[in-house]
Amino acid sequence: MVIVNADDFGMNESCSRAICEAFRLGLVTDTTMMANGRYFDEAVRLAKENGFFDKIGIHLNLTEGEPLTEEIKAFPEYVRDGRFHKQRDMTKPPTRELESAVYAELRAQIEKLRDAGIAITHADSHHYVHTTESVIDVAVKVLKEYSIRKVRLRLNLGDVPDTEKSEVINQRLRDEGFVTVKHFVKLAHTKQSGIPDNTEILVHPDYDRYGRLIDRRGVENGCPFGEPIPKLNTALGSYAEL
């Protein structure tokens, strides 16, 4: 079974509509939603209209956009000028006060999806923060409290910066009782690593400057760029089936 998860649902209009198209074309199997995204309410409506309301997970976010809670705004390592940023040491353990603020923010994000009627199927995070040393303890605590048992791994296929660290983090998630796939890889790296069974593939559906559906690799002069998302010739599954 191979899962193709579309990240960033609700972040903005472009990527949210691209995710809807990717579902219609059978290019993705699941998505994860950004609770503090600018397009959140409209994305909820689109998911209902396009028939994938039961395939939405939480995209925990501590690196982009405006926080949902006030407490975390007191910590400049996370928030500057009222917005999250990612210029910080992800390996630095948090203080007790910062841990409390992160805990409150992650709870608020989960609650926002639940209040919208979304039965959260799984969890991952923006820029993989739930698998960093500074966040994993809080993420584990919160996800257990909300009985979210299916969780994305740290990258362990393709271009992996630290394979040993990935193995340690991934084993930690499994030891905590979370259900995971065996492999996690970006779409851009599937050619070099292949696609073994029991794999999650990460994609960021979006539209480029020409209106083409792509897997967003970056943004240049305000326009997303990347490569088309292929339709995989393999057995696709879903987080709901794990």
Side-chain angles (χ1 to χ4, degrees), residues 5 7 87 137 151 169 204 219:
N5 192 90
D7 284 23
Q87 282 71 48
D137 288 345
V151 178
I169 293 292
H204 292 101
V219 178

Side-chain angles (χ1 to χ4, degrees), residues 150-215:
K150 300 171 184 180
V151 178
R152 171 181 283 171
L153 296 173
R154 192 179 177 110
L155 286 165
N156 62 0
L157 278 183
D159 185 12
V160 181
D162 190 333
T163 302
E164 184 175 346
K165 183 178 288 187
S166 289
E167 291 177 355
V168 170
I169 293 292
N170 292 343
Q171 190 57 52
R172 162 80 188 279
L173 292 172
R174 295 181 181 115
D175 289 345
E176 292 283 357
F178 292 109
V179 177
T180 74
V181 294
K182 186 174 182 180
H183 310 286
F184 173 45
V185 63
K186 296 179 181 179
L187 177 63
H189 299 158
T190 55
K191 291 182 180 178
Q192 69 187 63
S193 62
I195 308 176
D197 190 32
N198 202 6
T199 293
E200 177 188 353
I201 299 172
L202 163 65
V203 295
H204 292 101
D206 214 328
Y207 293 109
D208 67 11
R209 66 174 67 245
Y210 306 106
R212 297 177 301 196
L213 180 64
I214 58 166
D215 174 29

Side-chain angles (χ1 to χ4, degrees), residues 43-94:
V44 170
R45 174 180 57 80
L46 287 175
K48 293 177 180 177
E49 291 176 354
N50 287 273
F52 60 90
F53 197 67
D54 60 341
K55 295 183 178 179
I56 301 176
I58 179 78
H59 195 56
L60 298 171
N61 180 17
L62 298 168
T63 57
E64 188 172 353
E66 297 181 9
L68 298 183
T69 56
E70 289 297 319
E71 185 180 355
I72 201 167
K73 294 179 182 179
F75 297 92
E77 55 265 68
Y78 274 81
V79 180
R80 294 176 188 161
D81 299 321
R83 299 183 67 83
F84 284 126
H85 66 88
K86 59 178 180 178
Q87 282 71 48
R88 65 176 179 272
D89 183 357
M90 293 288 190
T91 67
K92 185 179 179 180

Side-chain angles (χ1 to χ4, degrees), residues 93-94 99 102-103 106 129-145 169 172-173 176 178:
E99 188 173 85
V102 171
Y103 172 78
L106 296 185
V129 294
H130 77 289
T131 63
T132 62
E133 292 91 331
S134 62
V135 177
I136 188 170
D137 288 345
V138 183
V140 164
K141 180 180 178 181
V142 171
L143 294 175
K144 283 187 173 182
E145 284 184 9
I169 293 292
R172 162 80 188 279
L173 292 172
E176 292 283 357
F178 292 109

